Amino acid sequence: MAVTNLTYKPQFQLLGLMDGTDPHPLLFLLFLSIYLLNALGNLSMVVLVRSDGALCSPMYYFLGHLSLVDVCFTTVTVPRLLATLLHPGQAISFQACFAQMYFFVALGITESYLLAAMSYDRAVAVCRPLHYGAVMTPWRCFVLVAASWAVAHLHSLLHTLLISALAYPPSAPVRHFFCDMTVMLSLATSDTSAAETAIFSEGLTVVLTPLLLVSLSYSSILVAVLGMRTTGGRHRVFSTCGAHLVVVSLFFGSVLSVYFRPSSAYSARYDRMASVVYAVVTPTLNPFIYSLRNKEVKGALKRGFRWRAAPQDE
């Protein structure tokens, strides 16, 4: 079927975030501003982590990779979203549609595993502070990041192959701002039961594994916090882990609400709004949530500004 699809070259029309054919210039400006803010925040975080020697701990190593994933994650979808806000019904080829799906799924899963790695890092820092350096070695951090990328791309490849092998009409409207798995399953004209079974079983394992790891990490942190005798220690833990917990809740909550239900329960309007949360809003908020209450990141930013201003003062 995949060969047949490529032979007939079906075209899809991305209808965008809103129903109807009217342009939405105000929404265009809003999402353009969000996208530019996303790129500024995440790329600044990547540069800071790479250039500032004070940000060399495992937490910032993971945060640098998370920021890189976030800027790529939004770049996969937001440019198409911006185009459909001005010109709804943008045509997208079969190959481009499934390429977009592949990278969207791969980057989304990578983000989920990086969030799990960061929660593990926080759990070790809180529960085993004296052994933190021995546990979170550079090699182990590298393995965690490499495994996140590898699992995500293998998962995405499987899903993309399964869904692209289905039959589609020569021209079909996609009621979304990108080629999402749930949308493409609903558009298929052939039987999707086998693909749905494989996607739900394998996908449930791949997506719930990082969620389980996050839950176990924060359960350990909670037990450690309850055992602390000083309120100052508890406050430090909450200030360190609170930002990460907000990001995890936003990301996993919206992802689970979209993907883990049968296609018969598909709702275009709900899926589009929920997708904005995890595909646009959360990646944009991440660098700011992690940095606003982080003294080390604030210090690195100040040092960076002073370094840039120094030649002008001379």
Side-chain angles (χ1 to χ4, degrees):
M1 288 305 301
V3 175
T4 304
N5 278 336
L6 288 171
T7 303
Y8 286 104
K9 294 182 180 179
Q11 292 279 329
F12 302 106
Q13 286 78 44
L14 289 175
L15 301 185
L17 185 63
M18 310 297 290
D19 292 320
T21 58
D22 296 329
H24 299 276
L26 293 181
L27 283 177
F28 171 85
L29 292 175
L30 172 64
F31 279 99
L32 178 61
S33 301
I34 292 174
Y35 179 62
L36 294 176
L37 186 64
N38 174 295
L40 176 64
N42 283 297
L43 291 177
S44 297
M45 188 65 69
V46 172
V47 172
L48 276 178
V49 171
R50 295 281 294 180
S51 61
D52 197 291
L55 305 180
C56 59
S57 67
M59 180 177 69
Y60 298 112
Y61 177 75
F62 293 130
L63 183 56
H65 281 275
L66 182 69
S67 296
L68 179 62
V69 169
D70 280 338
V71 74
C72 295
F73 192 37
T74 52
T75 300
V76 171
T77 57
V78 174
R80 287 277 184 181
L81 168 61
L82 294 174
T84 56
L85 287 173
L86 293 181
H87 305 286
Q90 289 278 315
I92 183 171
S93 68
F94 179 89
Q95 293 90 338
C97 182
F98 284 99
Q100 184 188 53
M101 178 192 294
Y102 173 83
F103 286 107
F104 180 81
V105 174
L107 291 166
I109 296 299
T110 303
E111 173 147 353
S112 68
Y113 277 86
L114 287 175
L115 289 173
M118 293 174 74
S119 66
Y120 172 69
D121 171 73
R122 292 299 84 205
V124 174
V126 173
C127 302
R128 302 180 62 188
L130 298 179
H131 300 88
Y132 180 77
V135 175
M136 300 304 298
T137 61
W139 172 248
R140 180 165 294 180
C141 294
F142 169 78
V143 169
L144 288 172
V145 170
S148 300
W149 284 95
V151 169
H153 280 273
L154 290 173
H155 166 84
S156 181
L157 180 62
L158 173 63
H159 283 220
T160 304
L161 290 175
L162 286 171
I163 299 176
S164 64
L166 301 172
Y168 294 94
S171 180
V174 177
R175 296 186 65 190
H176 214 305
F177 58 89
F178 66 97
C179 293
D180 192 39
M181 290 190 302
T182 54
V183 184
M184 303 313 294
L185 282 170
S186 68
L187 290 177
T189 56
S190 56
D191 181 29
T192 63
S193 57
E196 283 193 51
T197 301
I199 289 170
F200 267 67
S201 57
E202 188 272 344
L204 194 65
T205 303
V206 171
V207 174
L208 291 188
T209 296
L211 183 59
L212 177 62
L213 294 174
V214 169
S215 301
L216 290 174
S217 297
Y218 274 97
S219 297
S220 301
I221 291 173
L222 180 61
V223 171
V225 168
L226 293 177
M228 292 180 179
R229 297 180 180 180
T230 61
T231 56
R234 293 180 181 181
H235 178 74
R236 283 194 299 272
V237 171
F238 283 126
S239 64
T240 302
C241 301
H244 183 257
L245 194 56
V246 170
V247 171
V248 167
S249 300
L250 281 173
F251 182 80
F252 282 105
S254 54
V255 168
L256 291 175
S257 69
V258 170
Y259 291 109
F260 290 96
R261 67 180 193 274
S263 59
S264 57
Y266 169 70
S267 169
R269 183 179 295 274
Y270 175 82
D271 277 19
R272 283 179 288 187
M273 294 301 108
S275 297
V276 168
V277 174
Y278 71 83
V280 181
V281 176
T282 304
T284 303
L285 291 177
N286 280 352
F288 300 100
I289 290 175
Y290 282 115
S291 63
L292 285 178
R293 299 182 64 183
N294 190 304
K295 294 180 180 179
E296 291 177 332
V297 174
K298 289 180 180 178
L301 282 171
K302 290 177 181 177
R303 286 191 294 273
F305 286 130
R306 282 200 298 266
W307 179 81
R308 289 181 61 88
Q312 299 175 7
D313 297 334
E314 293 178 356

